[in-house]
């Protein structure tokens, strides 16, 4: 009976700390809370539509948006991020509508801030909802996205959002030098406290497809891709260089996108820079989980809390997720 001999027992029994719930609670290293959540919302100029590949997600009219926001505030979620579904008639090669001070997004921002001044409102700065070709910038005859002319429009878009009262502008375009240009324009126009959360390390991912359906840009983009500006999924050092540049240019917070396939990047970013770090748990990640959940193959509550918890463990301060409302409910009843 070797187990009865002194010295034959394991010196360390890690299971001892796992044996009771109180001990597991006491030694838990990271915790997800409602304070970590940012909820993405699609707002449309047209009819409300369910997004097929994202069960539970809709394009909302301005009225529908205000109902969503009421829920979000009641759940205690600190911030939302808005994405516009633009009328196809308003899409042009140069995305002029993106800088319209009375466009859909400035209107939505004003409406939210009027009723819920405490809620953090974040907007996406990028041209893909507004271009007739679905790219995030203006293109030349070969379809190549032109950097500096795109930055000019992004700056005007930024100011249209800031003038409407947005709290955080969030450029998702991956043009070089855009943070510097946006920061300068914000400062020069008196918006000293407008936060920039840059999509610093945004990868050319296959996980954005459901979002492009939601936005109505998939058809415009066709078979084209975004690999001449988004980071190659195989790269790490390049992602860190992007983050370093964005911080130097004036970003306050940085984001890694997509989320779960890129936890290694999140970890390196947080360790290297120690700045507020966020992840975008993107549409394709949501779609995958939902598909399995709807088939009864995964338990929604457990899978969602474990997935979002992984971002905290990797080093994230917060996460943009379509599960934000569900997670807030689960956390409230934990
Ligand atoms: C585009 C943008 C994308 C997302 C956010 N902003 C898609 C893209 O780069 O094509 C993706 C978000 C998601 O998939 O949930 N500027």
């Amino acid at each position: 009976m070797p187990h009865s001999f002194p010295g034959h027992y394991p010196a360390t029994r890690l299971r001892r700390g796992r044996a009771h719930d109180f001990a597991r609670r006491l030694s838990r290293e990271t915790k997800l809370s409602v304070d970590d959540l940012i909820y993405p919302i699609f707002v449309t100029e047209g009819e409300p539509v369910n997004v097929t590949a994202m069960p539970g997600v809709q394009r909302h009219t301005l009225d529908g948006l205000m109902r969503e926001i009421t829920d979000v505030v009641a759940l205690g979620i600190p911030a939302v991020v808005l994405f516009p579904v633009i009328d196809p008639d308003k899409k042009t090669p140069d995305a002029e509508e993106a800088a319209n001070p009375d466009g859909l997004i400035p209107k939505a921002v004003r409406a939210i801030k009027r009723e819920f001044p405490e809620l953090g409102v974040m907007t996406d700065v990028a041209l893909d909802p507004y271009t007739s070709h679905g790219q995030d910038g203006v293109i030349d005859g070969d379809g190549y996205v032109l950097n500096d002319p795109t930055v000019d429009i992004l700056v005007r878009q930024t100011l249209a959002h800031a003038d409407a009262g947005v709290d955080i502008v969030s450029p998702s375009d991956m043009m070089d030098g855009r943070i510097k240009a946006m920061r300068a324009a914000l400062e020069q126009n008196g918006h000293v406290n407008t936060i920039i959360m840059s999509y610093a390390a945004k990868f050319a991912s296959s996980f954005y497809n459901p979002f492009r359906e939601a936005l109505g840009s998939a058809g415009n983009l066709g078979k084209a891709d975004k690999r001449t500006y988004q980071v190659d999924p195989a790269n790490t050092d390049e992602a860190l260089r992007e983050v370093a540049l964005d911080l130097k240019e004036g970003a306050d917070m940085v984001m890694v996108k997509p989320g779960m396939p890129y936890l290694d990047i999140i970890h390196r970013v947080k360790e290297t820079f120690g700045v507020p770090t966020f992840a975008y748990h993107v549409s394709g990640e949501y779609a995958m989980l939902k598909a399995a959940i709807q088939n009864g193959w995964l338990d929604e509550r457990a899978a969602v809390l474990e997935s979002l918890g992984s971002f905290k463990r990797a080093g994230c301060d917060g996460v943009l997720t379509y599960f934000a409302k569900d997670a807030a409910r689960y956390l409230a009843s934990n």
Side-chain angles (χ1 to χ4, degrees), residues 200-201 203 231 235-244 265 269 273:
F203 289 86
V231 180
N235 296 353
T236 305
D237 290 338
E238 186 185 344
L240 263 76
R241 291 184 73 192
E242 284 284 2
V243 173
I265 308 289
V269 166
F273 301 102

Side-chain angles (χ1 to χ4, degrees), residues 41 60-69:
I41 308 178
H60 294 281
T61 60
L62 280 179
D63 286 344
L65 170 70
M66 295 315 284
R67 284 192 293 275
E68 277 283 89
I69 297 288

